[in-house]
């Protein structure tokens, strides 16, 4: 059956999620969360420590190693009132997150501003130990502001400034204040590349113990980086998906990962989390682009929202991955920085991924569409089972292993 994802009605992806089923705090131990196994239509209840035994033989697990930055900043006006600024993505002098984080002295970011109406004019200030951060509005754009930050000591990087005076941005649906515990628990144990404003939450269940068990079972692991944006929480307001604009996110792919994926073809590739899945499938479509245009300029390494559904005669996975390697060699680089708006919805054909480790997602979300793309209408059975059996939902909730 051919499904046109543009015509999907978001009201078909609704289920009743009572507020008390949203996990407001993490489990005492990361790997003691529940794990719901969906395997070829069958459901079984497990604990997350069982994961290494449940994965198909010779699985390559792919993790997103992005690190959540303390992107919420509370500034004080001259009158004493507070203005909250939430950093979304860098604009100048670098749009690339990795470079923007290393910027010293000043930078401009796209931001959300709370209490903006009370911020009449001029800069607002935030004092931190040994320094001062100032913010000025440069422009207002649709739904956000361009904010120019300057700081002293100027030799500090923006990453260091955020580390000293920012606050961790918890998901809005937790609806509670930050606790000291969140600083460690809202990061994966392998978080490495600073730049996300939300955690890749499927990875929050992994512990050193589980990693060692994976190794003992002969499972291989690999890493990529997708900096999760605030758009991950953006509800679908449109009646049909054609009218919903997907948020763009930055991904970083290394040459060794592409080589490893080529070796893995024909054996299971299972992403940990929807961000890893979107990155891996985007990787294929980037390869398809350079397969058709070997001299594509680096700034055109983008995957648009509907590219996957409009592409005629796309290459095989092997051809796409090989084209990427050839492209990287021609560019003389060992890593690629690209941007993706890919929407994975029913009607999508998976090119790289064979399963998924993921949490339970909000009703009417693009993440739920992605789950449905993988396991079809069975998503209803999975979610009904989770609700009937006291699974915890959303970022700090329980996990599932989906093997179609």
């Amino acid at each position: 059956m051919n499904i046109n994802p543009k015509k999907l009605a978001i009201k078909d992806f609704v289920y009743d999620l009572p507020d008390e089923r949203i996990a407001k705090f993490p489990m005492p131990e990361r790997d003691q969360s529940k794990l719901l196994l969906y395997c070829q239509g069958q459901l079984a209840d497990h604990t997350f420590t069982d994961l290494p035994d449940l994965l198909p033989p010779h699985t390559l697990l792919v993790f997103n190693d992005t690190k959540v930055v303390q992107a919420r900043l509370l500034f004080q006006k001259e009158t004493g009132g507070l203005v909250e600024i939430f950093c979304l993505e860098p604009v100048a002098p670098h749009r690339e997150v990795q470079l923007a984080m290393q910027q010293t002295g000043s930078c401009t970011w796209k931001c959300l501003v709370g209490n903006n109406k009370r911020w009449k004019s001029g800069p607002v200030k935030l004092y931190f130990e040994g320094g001062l951060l100032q913010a000025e509005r440069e422009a207002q754009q649709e739904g956000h502001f361009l904010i120019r930050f300057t700081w002293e000591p100027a030799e500090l990087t923006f990453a260091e400034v955020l580390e000293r005076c920012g606050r961790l941005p918890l998901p809005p649906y937790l609806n509670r204040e930050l606790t000291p515990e969140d600083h460690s628990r809202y990061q994966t144990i392998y978080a490495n590349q600073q730049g996300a404003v939300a955690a890749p939450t499927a990875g929050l269940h992994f512990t050193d113990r589980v990693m060692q068990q994976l190794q003992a079972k002969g499972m291989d692991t690999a890493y990529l980086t997708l900096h999760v944006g605030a758009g991950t929480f953006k509800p679908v307001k449109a009646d049909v998906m054609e009218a919903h604009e997907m948020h763009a996110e930055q991904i970083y792919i290394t040459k060794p990962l592409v080589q490893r994926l080529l070796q893995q073809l024909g054996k299971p590739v299972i992403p940990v989390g929807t961000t890893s899945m979107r990155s891996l499938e985007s990787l294929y479509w980037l390869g398809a682009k350079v397969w058709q245009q070997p001299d594509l300029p680096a700034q055109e390494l983008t995957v648009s929202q509907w590219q996957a559904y409009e592409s005629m005669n796309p290459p095989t996975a092997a051809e796409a991955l090989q084209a990427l390697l050839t492209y990287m060699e021609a560019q003389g680089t060992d890593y690629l920085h690209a941007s993706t708006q890919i929407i994975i919805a029913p009607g999508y054909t998976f090119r790289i991924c064979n399963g998924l480790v993921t949490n339970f997602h909000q009703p009417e979300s693009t993440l739920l569409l992605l789950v449905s793309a993988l396991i079809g209408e069975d998503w209803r059975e999975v979610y009904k089972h989770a609700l009937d059996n006291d699974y915890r939902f959303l970022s700090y909730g329980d996990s599932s292993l989906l093997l179609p």
Side-chain angles (χ1 to χ4, degrees), residues 289-302:
K289 254 190 165 177
V290 299
W291 179 71
Q292 288 174 323
Q293 292 175 263
D295 52 359
L296 187 78
Q299 62 270 27
E300 289 178 36
L301 281 171
T302 59

Side-chain angles (χ1 to χ4, degrees), residues 1 20 100 111 130 132 152 177 198 203 219 226 254 280 308 380:
M1 181 176 72
E20 64 271 14
C111 300
L132 167 65
E152 293 166 6
E177 284 303 308
M219 304 296 170
L226 177 143
T254 62
L280 287 169
R380 294 183 184 283

Side-chain angles (χ1 to χ4, degrees), residues 9 18 33 53 61 63 87 91 183 190 230 282 401:
S33 50
D53 298 320
L61 269 185
F63 297 87
C87 300
V91 175
H183 286 278
Y190 47 81
S282 296
L401 170 60

Side-chain angles (χ1 to χ4, degrees), residues 154-168:
E155 61 270 16
L156 291 177
T157 64
F158 194 54
E160 289 170 322
V161 171
L162 292 180
E163 198 62 39
R164 294 190 189 192
C165 62
R167 297 177 178 210
L168 206 67

Side-chain angles (χ1 to χ4, degrees), residues 233-295:
F233 303 120
K234 184 179 166 186
V236 179
K237 298 251 174 82
D239 292 337
V240 291
M241 291 314 298
E242 193 168 21
H244 175 77
E245 189 185 356
M246 277 296 280
H247 53 289
E249 289 170 309
Q250 295 190 17
I251 50 177
Y252 295 81
I253 306 293
T254 62
K255 200 169 175 180
L257 173 67
V258 182
Q259 290 166 330
R260 183 66 192 83
L261 290 170
L262 261 172
Q263 292 167 359
Q264 188 68 12
L265 289 176
K267 293 186 283 221
V269 175
I270 297 182
V272 172
T274 57
T275 60
S276 300
M277 177 174 263
R278 292 178 69 235
S279 300
L280 287 169
E281 294 296 318
S282 296
L283 188 61
Y284 166 84
W285 290 107
L286 290 168
K289 254 190 165 177
V290 299
W291 179 71
Q292 288 174 323
Q293 292 175 263
D295 52 359

Side-chain angles (χ1 to χ4, degrees), residues 36-44 378 382 401 403:
L36 177 51
L37 172 66
Y38 167 90
C39 186
Q40 298 175 358
Q42 301 299 307
L43 295 173
D378 281 1
V382 169
L401 170 60
L403 300 173

Side-chain angles (χ1 to χ4, degrees), residues 377-397:
E377 276 296 299
D378 281 1
W379 77 264
R380 294 183 184 283
E381 292 305 310
V382 169
Y383 276 63
K384 183 180 186 307
H385 182 94
L387 285 164
D388 291 347
N389 291 274
D390 289 329
Y391 279 72
R392 303 158 79 245
F393 277 61
L394 308 187
S395 295
Y396 273 144

Side-chain angles (χ1 to χ4, degrees), residues 348-404:
Y348 182 81
T349 301
F350 286 90
R351 308 289 174 164
I352 304 285
C353 303
N354 309 101
L356 177 65
V357 176
T358 189
N359 286 14
F360 297 94
H361 306 293
Q362 286 180 295
E364 299 188 290
S365 64
T366 55
L367 306 180
L368 198 51
L369 289 175
L370 178 148
V371 169
S372 180
L374 184 68
I375 63 171
E377 276 296 299
D378 281 1
W379 77 264
R380 294 183 184 283
E381 292 305 310
V382 169
Y383 276 63
K384 183 180 186 307
H385 182 94
L387 285 164
D388 291 347
N389 291 274
D390 289 329
Y391 279 72
R392 303 158 79 245
F393 277 61
L394 308 187
S395 295
Y396 273 144
D398 292 315
S399 187
S400 64
L401 170 60
L402 307 177
L403 300 173

